[in-house]
Amino acid sequence: MIVESTLIKASASLTLSGMNTSELQATGASLAPAKAAGLEGVVVADTRLSQVDGERGELVIAGVRAEVLALEQAQGFEGVAARLLELGSGTRQPDLRAALGQARLAAFAVLGELNHALKLPDAMDALLACVTQGSAGGSALSVLGALPVYVAAGARRRAGLPLIVPNPSLSHAEDFLAMLGLAHSAARVRALEAYWVTVSDHGLNASTFAARVVASTGSDVVSCIAAALGALKGPLHGGAPGPVLDMLDATQHDDPRAWLEAELGAGRRIMGIGHRIYRVRDPRALVFERALVRLAEEDGESALIAARLAHAKRVEHAAVALLSERHPERPLHANVEFYTALLLEALAIPRALFTAAFAVGRCAGWLAHIDEQRRTGKLIRPASRYVGALPA
Ligand code: COA
């Protein structure tokens, strides 16, 4: 039945579908227009896990500012993950460091059955396949523990290198670097911890929303994580840091503005810039800059890191200036991915693994949101507006 108040109001403006009002009515569309494209500004859940203040550029995770959590507190990734899981589930967590160590070992034990999955050329495809095959039916902690094992084993298998057995006595971050065959000094572990803590949760981002939608149907934890991984893979979400490094490489010796103009002219977006929520610079960019400076001071290679940082800032400023000319109505600033790229590069993590490395940290938030959603007992099922043809 067509309700007057929900009829599309006569207006010459175009709708989401690109059709005008009379065209829509001819096809039978009769509901109010979609509230906001991409659900922008729509609140879909109450959460105790994190708060994103897009106007002031502030991120609070489990009640603590992200920069404090990442750079000043010593609880590490396991401590923050435990806090998130407690908030999500409402129950105390076991000793997470020990539990994750055992989970890594258990995941390593099933790698023999995941040969095909590990060898998939794209690291995110490989991770998704490993999770759905190797962790099917598993618990939240088993999945959180398995992710770095799958990422590292996939990278080494694809490179034709022997796999490295996890060491359950190490922290999650140290063991990840070790399993990749990378140096794992205290400074480097601290830098990776700062990264994972900072990205551990971030409101209702697309992958977290995907996980919550699946959780709301009563499905199992591995299915929720699989949905989240699929969403994270996209270049508009977690797939940006690799292309950010490509951009920094491409502009290394030239004027970044000319390169950026050519990208926009070709209809492409500038990776690492812009955000759905932040109208100012993403606060996580500053956390990563500080983590990089600290890494440079503590672990050598300071000249290299300083030069890369200085170049990244040049590109960032050029991109922000250019985009502000093109979009004066929408402030576009550096987002989390811009300096993620530099931090992970400084740790020698291959750029093909950047999104998968992001997933390891964000998995803590996903799991907490899954529990939080389950406790609401409510199915997430919005409505759509039909704009197609009706039967004669
Ligand atoms: N480069 C060029 N233009 C951009 C842009 C970017 N990085 N980010 C936004 N814009 C433009 C869009 O083209 C759009 O212009 P239009 O209205 O003329 O089409 C306008 O700004 C608004 O963009 P929209 O996609 O509607 O906003 P959003 O809030 O949905 O976008 C992102 C948020 C993150 C998807 C977007 O900023 C983006 O694509 N960034 C690059 C990818 C990236 O870094 N992703 C990681 C996010 S953490």
Side-chain angles (χ1 to χ4, degrees):
M1 194 177 88
I2 298 174
V3 181
E4 173 56 33
S5 63
T6 61
L7 274 173
I8 301 161
K9 297 291 176 216
S11 130
S13 66
L14 291 181
T15 65
L16 282 179
S17 62
M19 288 184 276
N20 66 33
T21 305
S22 50
E23 283 169 331
L24 275 173
Q25 282 169 339
T27 65
S30 59
L31 291 173
K35 271 203 162 151
L39 295 180
E40 184 163 357
V42 177
V43 175
V44 177
D46 288 338
T47 184
R48 291 188 161 74
L49 301 169
S50 60
Q51 170 168 278
V52 184
D53 184 332
E55 298 299 326
R56 290 194 296 175
E58 284 178 2
L59 168 61
V60 170
I61 300 172
V64 184
R65 280 190 207 292
E67 56 272 26
V68 174
L69 211 52
L71 300 173
E72 293 170 27
Q73 293 193 353
Q75 53 185 314
F77 176 69
E78 280 87 341
V80 174
R83 185 77 193 115
L84 286 170
L85 293 172
E86 276 169 11
L87 286 169
S89 64
T91 55
R92 275 200 69 73
Q93 290 301 307
D95 174 357
L96 211 59
R97 186 173 163 132
L100 291 183
Q102 290 311 313
R104 291 196 300 277
L105 276 181
F108 192 84
V110 302
L111 291 181
E113 295 155 33
L114 302 176
N115 247 325
H116 178 71
L118 288 171
K119 280 204 254 176
L120 288 172
D122 181 283
M124 284 300 283
D125 289 343
L127 181 58
L128 185 56
C130 285
V131 167
T132 51
Q133 290 174 43
S135 296
S139 67
L141 290 189
S142 76
V143 178
L144 187 58
L147 289 197
V149 178
Y150 296 151
V151 177
R156 289 185 67 84
R157 180 58 47 88
R158 288 188 294 279
L161 297 167
L163 305 190
I164 297 175
V165 188
N167 178 346
S169 69
L170 301 182
S171 72
H172 217 45
E174 182 166 8
D175 211 14
F176 181 54
L177 294 174
M179 287 187 288
L180 280 167
L182 298 174
H184 44 102
S185 65
R188 294 163 61 79
V189 172
R190 244 195 315 280
L192 182 57
E193 299 251 359
Y195 172 63
W196 276 349
V197 164
T198 307
V199 300
S200 61
D201 198 46
H202 199 247
L204 211 59
N205 58 87
S207 56
T208 300
F209 184 50
R212 283 189 81 127
V213 169
V214 178
S216 82
T217 70
S219 191
D220 59 283
V221 75
V222 169
S223 300
C224 299
I225 297 300
L229 287 170
L232 188 74
K233 183 184 175 192
L236 300 192
H237 187 8
V244 167
L245 273 197
D246 297 338
M247 167 172 70
L248 296 183
D249 289 348
T251 54
Q252 191 70 44
H253 305 294
D254 298 311
D255 172 14
R257 188 170 171 109
W259 187 91
L260 294 164
E261 275 175 339
E263 281 296 287
L264 293 175
R268 288 189 284 270
R269 292 187 174 203
I270 308 304
M271 291 294 122
I273 303 284
H275 199 271
R276 171 58 64 78
I277 308 280
Y278 292 118
R279 293 292 163 258
V280 292
R281 197 170 188 252
D282 188 326
R284 296 168 296 177
L286 187 60
V287 177
F288 298 159
E289 271 187 64
R290 289 189 180 149
L292 267 166
V293 170
R294 190 171 69 180
L295 178 65
E297 286 166 1
E298 292 177 353
D299 212 41
E301 304 211 49
S302 52
L304 207 70
I305 291 179
R308 202 65 164 147
L309 253 179
H311 176 56
K313 289 212 166 163
R314 267 198 305 279
V315 176
E316 178 191 349
H317 290 146
V320 170
L322 186 57
L323 288 169
S324 76
E325 291 162 20
R326 298 192 176 213
H327 293 282
E329 79 298 344
R330 191 174 188 95
L332 295 167
H333 296 277
N335 62 47
V336 63
E337 310 288 27
F338 207 93
Y339 289 91
T340 285
L342 260 64
L343 188 56
L344 297 185
E345 179 189 51
L347 292 172
I349 293 175
R351 67 184 74 177
L353 300 187
F354 283 2
T355 309
F358 184 168
V360 179
R362 178 56 57 83
C363 187
W366 290 336
L367 294 169
H369 276 274
I370 291 166
D371 277 338
E372 197 176 55
Q373 180 61 41
R374 282 179 174 159
R375 288 165 73 198
T376 70
K378 191 76 184 166
L379 175 71
I380 298 176
R381 202 299 188 193
S384 57
R385 182 174 60 127
Y386 180 62
V387 295
L390 287 176

